Amino acid sequence: MKTTTRWLAATAALLSMTALASAAETANIWVRADGSNFMPQIVEAFNKGHENQIKLDIIPNGELVQKYATSAAGGTAPDGLSLDLIYTPAFAAAGQLEDITDWAKSLPYFKDLSPAHVKTGTYKDKIYGLPFSADSSVLIWNKKLFKQAGLDPEKGPANFAEIAADAEKVAALGGDIKGFYFSGACGGCNIFTFTPLIWASGGDILSEDGSKATLDTPQMRDAIALYRGMVEKGLVPEGAKTDSGANFFAAFAAGNIGIAPSGAFAIGALNTQYKDIDYGVTFLPGKDGGSSSFAGGDNFVVTKGTPKLAVLKEFLDYAYSLEGQTLLASRGSLPVRGDLAKEALKDLDPRYQIAAEAMAKGRTPYSVVFNDIINSANGPWAQMINEVFFGDDVDGAIANAQETMQGIIDAGTGQ
Amino acid sequence: MSSITAKAGAMSSQPVRRRAKVDRSHWVGLLYIAPAILLVTVFFVIPLGMTAWMSLHNWPLMGQHRFIGLDNYVAITKDVRFWNALKFTLYYTVIVTIAIFAVAFPLALFVEKPRPMASVYRTAFFMPVVVGFASASLLWAWLLNVDSGLFSPAAQQLGLTEKKFNLIATFNPAFWSIIVMVVWKVAGFTMVILMTGLQSIPTELQEAAKIDGANAWQRFRAITLPLMRRTVALALILSVAGSILAFDQFYILLRGGPRNSTITAVYWIFNQSFVSFKLGYGAALSMVLLVILVVLSLIQLRLLRNPEGT
């Protein structure tokens, strides 16, 4: 009898375990290739410690939007998505995303989440995206070249005049050494690193709600004059003119560029892959000082009607924990919880603190047609920057871009 | 009476038998071409129908679509950038087609005759055709890179230029770089088509002309060129159609630059569909391009039709 009872108990236990195991669910999420440094690690860590599981797919950067759209049309969209934050309004406007306002506002640390992310995650007063990964824009300089040029290697430039003067001194070293680098044919790179110069000087390129293009401002012209002056003096490599972003980071990493605007991602990449480069990190300054930064990274969004919302919430809860934020930070993403940022970064390179501080003050332009007006290689922003940095007609280029950009904004996403 | 009936029966039964025979062969024939019909239906007719249907809608890449009739086509008439792209595409087509023929014809004449190493030359000239357009464009993107590529640093090393030169920074060098790349990539294919045409010309004709005292140029003009009409027509139509649909090389190498001066029609369709997320409008543009391509092909066929019908 005893044996039978034992057998029955064991069978019941086994059955209940099987029931538990079958109750566990798997949610599918996507991330763009830029997130391949941190996403597989955090998914792996989550899967190890939880019944519910996440299945991750990494999608090439340039294909994510198209692939998601076609999958959504075919009913095979993933349950969730780590999405470049600037796309959140467009996805929300298209009715593809789940409204997560109540859940977001119920999070005890909601007010500490990256404000720029939350702003782009909000569409018509409802929240469709929450911050997941973060990357701020900063200015980096090569300490070795600064030293060789007779500059203080520990002091980065703090205003436009200092950028130009330092770049000139470094370029004077001659040979292949140049003072400054930027990708002159890349709209995305320059919204990330050039607009902070305008913001820090008190200007903007779009109105707060994204309904008006505001390109023609004195602050824009000052920032253009800074870049244009450096190009005219030969402080910028010839290849910058046609660089569509492929060399955005690699040029500085090659070791012959004095100063380059870049992202916080550069800290991790330089520390692990280019250990011989001694570099400093500072804020992107305004004309007469001050600072600003582009708040980039990803929002986490949920596909409308997914049955796996509970699993996704569990996953996001983990990503927001100190353990999750520390893990993300160690893999190159800045923490998105302001209240945990210091602690999550405490064991890492101190230069991350500058990037985190820049992030806290960071801004992100808000637009449902961001791809069209800014990221497109043939859009008004990309065309304008190339013309004003290297061409002959600054006034015409600004006026043309202002008109084209406003036309696209007015037309909205419709046809 | 009975004989008449019998005759009539015999007369009427004959056509019935023939019809049955015809019907059977008709079905057998259909069976033979059924796979081709299926492929054309699935991969051409249905997508074409869907594109035409799509072009009548406001069809965003994401979200709901709605029927708008011919509005997309009306919008095309006001789309200055599409017409500019089309103008540029036609300009590119003319230049690149002439360039391809200018290179491929001499090559075909060179490798057509049996000569030592002829097959090696043929293989060498044909090899770039095997490389995909995207791969070839990436290779050339590297060759043309002003800092890390081959052309600019090599020219500097050889003392041909003092300063680095960025071949893709202004329109003319960028455009001609593309032409050179495409000719390198495609001429081998045209060469093979022209070579088979040359080889199909009966040698007796050439021999007879030789005996009559015609020199090489006279034989080329009076025999080779006229008998190559159909082959040239095929090569021309393929080259023109390929050039009108040019996309990869411009997208990968120049991204429409410098300053939007090298946007082709297909590039603009891609841009509208997948950057501006307007699939319906992109479909309408595709239909317009299709019509233009069909008209151009018909004109070429008519111009190059053999007057003797041989």
Side-chain angles (χ1 to χ4, degrees), chain A residues 65-66 68-69 87 90-91 94 96 176 237-239 241-242 244 247 371-372 376-378 383 386-387 390-391 413-415, chain B residues 57-63 72 81 146-147 164 166 168-169 255-256 259-260 263 267 270-271 274-278 280-281:
Chain A
V65 178
Q66 293 90 327
Y68 182 81
Y87 286 121
F91 274 55
Q96 300 289 313
D176 274 344
E238 177 65 26
K241 201 184 287 184
T242 47
S244 57
N247 224 13
N371 202 35
D372 229 353
S376 165
N378 314 105
Q383 290 314 300
N386 196 262
E387 177 68 33
F390 304 102
T413 47
Q415 293 167 48
Chain B
H57 290 74
N58 177 339
W59 198 306
L61 187 63
M62 287 180 293
N72 281 328
R81 292 189 73 179
V146 61
D147 293 315
K164 287 179 176 176
N166 193 340
I168 54 171
R255 309 273 289 177
R259 290 166 213 159
N260 285 345
I263 293 180
Y267 189 120
F270 172 84
N271 197 300
F274 298 111
V275 177
S276 301
F277 304 158
K278 296 191 288 189
Y281 187 63

Side-chain angles (χ1 to χ4, degrees), chain B residues 8-18:
Chain B
M11 278 172 75
S12 67
S13 73
Q14 240 176 352
V16 169
R17 251 202 324 265
R18 204 178 299 137

Side-chain angles (χ1 to χ4, degrees), chain B residues 62-215:
Chain B
M62 287 180 293
Q64 295 300 309
H65 51 85
R66 67 186 163 85
F67 186 80
I68 53 166
L70 294 173
D71 285 6
N72 281 328
Y73 291 93
V74 175
I76 291 174
T77 60
K78 296 171 203 153
D79 188 347
V80 181
R81 292 189 73 179
F82 173 65
W83 296 111
N84 283 340
L86 193 64
K87 225 187 290 174
F88 170 73
T89 310
L90 292 175
Y91 173 66
Y92 162 76
T93 300
V94 171
I95 303 278
V96 84
T97 303
I98 292 170
I100 288 170
F101 271 78
V103 172
F105 218 117
L107 286 183
L109 288 167
F110 179 69
V111 298
E112 177 240 341
K113 292 191 183 70
R115 66 171 75 237
M117 308 246 296
S119 56
V120 175
Y121 288 126
R122 281 175 202 164
T123 312
F125 297 147
F126 189 75
M127 256 198 316
V129 178
V130 183
V131 183
F133 244 119
S135 315
S137 304
L138 284 169
L139 171 70
W140 279 73
W142 168 71
L143 288 172
L144 294 167
N145 188 296
V146 61
D147 293 315
S148 56
L150 187 70
F151 297 153
S152 176
Q156 239 182 332
Q157 291 280 319
L158 293 170
L160 299 174
T161 54
E162 260 184 46
K163 286 178 76 180
K164 287 179 176 176
F165 58 90
N166 193 340
L167 276 167
I168 54 171
T170 47
F171 177 77
N172 274 321
F175 178 72
W176 286 100
S177 298
I178 291 266
I179 297 286
V180 171
M181 191 277 268
V182 174
V183 170
W184 166 80
K185 163 90 184 72
V186 168
F189 179 69
T190 310
M191 175 198 79
V192 169
I193 296 176
L194 296 176
M195 189 183 75
T196 52
L198 287 169
Q199 286 173 340
S200 68
I201 297 173
T203 45
E204 300 83 36
L205 283 177
Q206 300 279 11
E207 295 298 327
K210 236 188 225 176
I211 291 165
D212 288 343
N215 62 25

Side-chain angles (χ1 to χ4, degrees), chain A residues 191 195 198-199 203-207 212-215 220 374 381:
Chain A
I191 195 74
T195 34
I198 299 162
W199 293 333
D204 205 343
I205 63 157
L206 285 172
S207 62
K212 290 273 173 271
T214 56
L215 295 177
M220 168 71 83
I374 304 288
W381 171 253

Side-chain angles (χ1 to χ4, degrees), chain A residues 95-129:
Chain A
Q96 300 289 313
L97 305 181
E98 190 73 41
D99 173 4
I100 49 172
T101 314
D102 294 340
W103 175 47
K105 290 192 172 164
S106 73
L107 295 170
Y109 41 79
F110 177 69
K111 61 173 185 3
D112 296 311
L113 293 174
S114 160
H117 282 71
V118 174
K119 184 185 158 198
T120 53
T122 306
Y123 177 70
K124 291 191 174 168
D125 298 328
K126 289 183 175 168
I127 297 172
Y128 293 91

Side-chain angles (χ1 to χ4, degrees), chain A residues 85 100-101 103-122 127 129-134 295 298-300 316-317 319-321 325 328 334-341 359-362:
Chain A
L85 81 169
I100 49 172
T101 314
W103 175 47
K105 290 192 172 164
S106 73
L107 295 170
Y109 41 79
F110 177 69
K111 61 173 185 3
D112 296 311
L113 293 174
S114 160
H117 282 71
V118 174
K119 184 185 158 198
T120 53
T122 306
I127 297 172
L130 282 173
F132 191 78
S133 62
D298 283 8
N299 267 332
F300 195 89
L316 211 52
D317 271 337
Y320 285 151
S321 67
Q325 291 291 287
L328 280 167
L334 293 171
V336 290
R337 269 185 70 175
D339 54 335
L340 294 182
M359 186 72 211
K361 292 188 280 185

Side-chain angles (χ1 to χ4, degrees), chain A residues 32-87:
Chain A
R32 57 179 166 144
D34 275 355
S36 55
N37 273 343
F38 55 81
M39 204 62 162
Q41 282 70 23
I42 196 154
V43 165
E44 197 187 324
F46 173 83
N47 285 346
K48 262 187 195 161
H50 294 78
E51 285 285 338
N52 289 323
Q53 299 285 291
I54 293 289
K55 182 182 167 294
L56 172 71
D57 287 315
I58 297 171
I59 314 291
N61 284 351
E63 289 173 27
L64 190 122
V65 178
Q66 293 90 327
K67 206 168 156 62
Y68 182 81
T70 44
S71 302
T76 57
D79 301 297
L81 192 65
S82 176
L83 176 72
D84 187 342
L85 81 169
I86 55 101
Y87 286 121

